[in-house]
Amino acid sequence: MGPLSCIDSKKDVKQSHHKAVDQAARFFCEGNAKGISQNYPNVHKTIAATESSAEAYSGTESKDDVYDIAITQLDQEQFGQDTCLAHIGVTMELDQPIPDYNCEGILTRIWQDCNNNGRGGSITVGCFVYSITAKY
């Protein structure tokens, strides 16, 4: 995995809740990463979560914990296909891009390891950038 990139902390954004982050990551990964390989377009969803559930967020209702979650494929012209595939082989699954790390665990780790009041951040894993950002 590449280095962790954390979003600057803002005082006007309240602290995210750990269990809500877990629910949002699980909802995103189960619906958008399972069984998908690297030749899939970028995936981005806005998700509202509580400590016990998560759902796609339309922006029409006020919610306490809302996250932008995305998996973005690196530009292979810029980074070179050999660079991002060097250590992982020919195919990468979005749900389990490298051994011992799955989509949900990667997103949760970003949130836990960034010391920025729960704002989130991103990390490069193989050919993809995984990101989670608290909107509210």
Side-chain angles (χ1 to χ4, degrees), residues 41-108:
N42 299 333
V43 180
H44 171 261
K45 299 288 180 193
T46 301
I47 298 168
T50 66
E51 292 187 359
S52 61
S53 67
E55 63 187 10
Y57 182 65
S58 64
T60 58
E61 298 177 22
S62 177
K63 301 282 184 174
D64 282 344
D65 289 283
V66 177
Y67 305 92
D68 277 333
I69 302 177
I71 301 174
T72 308
Q73 189 168 13
L74 290 173
D75 180 354
Q76 292 187 3
E77 289 181 16
Q78 180 181 359
F79 293 97
Q81 185 169 2
D82 292 340
T83 301
C84 69
L85 296 177
H87 300 289
I88 58 171
V90 177
T91 303
M92 223 181 115
E93 299 293 326
L94 297 184
D95 188 49
Q96 184 94 33
I98 56 178
D100 300 325
Y101 288 96
N102 65 19
C103 175
E104 186 178 336
I106 292 166
L107 293 170
T108 302

